[in-house]
Amino acid sequence: AITWFKKINPVSLSSKEATFPLEVLYCNNCSLSQLSIVVNPKILFSKYVYRSSISKTFQEHCKKMAETVSKIFSGKNILIVDIASNDGCLLQQFKPYGFHAWGIDLDSDPAKIRQSAQQLGLNYPLLMDTEGSVAKLFWIDDLPALFILDRDGRIRQVLEGEAVTNT
């Protein structure tokens, strides 16, 4: 028997999941493309089970991204802030370079995030933003988002969505 099947609640298998239209809008003038609707983060992340660190490919991507950022900001007192930091897979890669880091996660289960952070041995602040207030404050439309701030608190660079995952 596979033990993880015992954790599935049979009621949840029969309940209907929310669905949303997948329509991409495109502007012929500026080439902007975006989804036609924005799904409330509470719906998307309230039972979010994916952990970034399970993907070896994503771990390698995070390592390369940290290397690139370290070359650009070498020797500078920099704070890295990862919005939608999940289990800290990206921020963990900044540890060898001595950057300060904060993770902000949207998950509604702080205990789950804390447990993942402990398993990875992360030692930076992990902040919970279950309402998505930080993303709204900085007009972040595409998650995850990575902010790089200088010692005076000025935002030096922002990478959003695909820029974070495809850097």
Side-chain angles (χ1 to χ4, degrees), residues 19-24 35-37 39:
T19 59
F20 303 93
L22 181 58
E23 178 184 25
V24 178
L35 294 177
S36 62
I37 65 163
V39 179

Side-chain angles (χ1 to χ4, degrees), residues 34-48:
Q34 65 185 39
L35 294 177
S36 62
I37 65 163
V38 176
V39 179
N40 184 330
K42 285 184 182 178
I43 294 170
L44 287 178
F45 298 110
S46 65
K47 295 180 180 165
Y48 191 66

Side-chain angles (χ1 to χ4, degrees), residues 6-7 13 19 22 31 37-38 45 51 70-71 76 82 87 94 100 112-113 117 119 126 130 135:
K6 294 178 183 176
K7 297 178 181 178
L13 294 176
T19 59
L22 181 58
S31 300
I37 65 163
V38 176
F45 298 110
R51 291 289 160 245
S70 74
K71 289 175 186 171
K76 296 186 174 77
D82 184 7
D87 64 2
F94 286 94
H100 303 282
K112 182 171 56 175
I113 296 300
Q119 288 173 344
L126 283 169
T130 58

Side-chain angles (χ1 to χ4, degrees), residues 80-126:
I80 307 292
V81 179
D82 184 7
I83 299 176
S85 61
N86 196 267
D87 64 2
C89 182
L90 174 58
L91 292 178
Q92 183 179 23
Q93 299 303 324
F94 286 94
K95 286 169 64 173
Y97 301 103
F99 292 123
H100 303 282
W102 290 358
I104 300 175
D105 202 81
L106 308 173
D107 198 305
S108 62
D109 187 354
K112 182 171 56 175
I113 296 300
R114 193 172 20 259
Q115 179 184 12
S116 292
Q118 288 171 345
Q119 288 173 344
L120 290 170
L122 304 179
N123 60 356
Y124 54 80
L126 283 169

Side-chain angles (χ1 to χ4, degrees), residues 58-68 90 93 97:
F58 188 67
Q59 286 179 13
E60 187 59 33
H61 161 74
C62 293
K63 184 176 182 179
K64 287 178 184 175
M65 183 178 200
E67 288 172 4
T68 300
L90 174 58
Q93 299 303 324
Y97 301 103

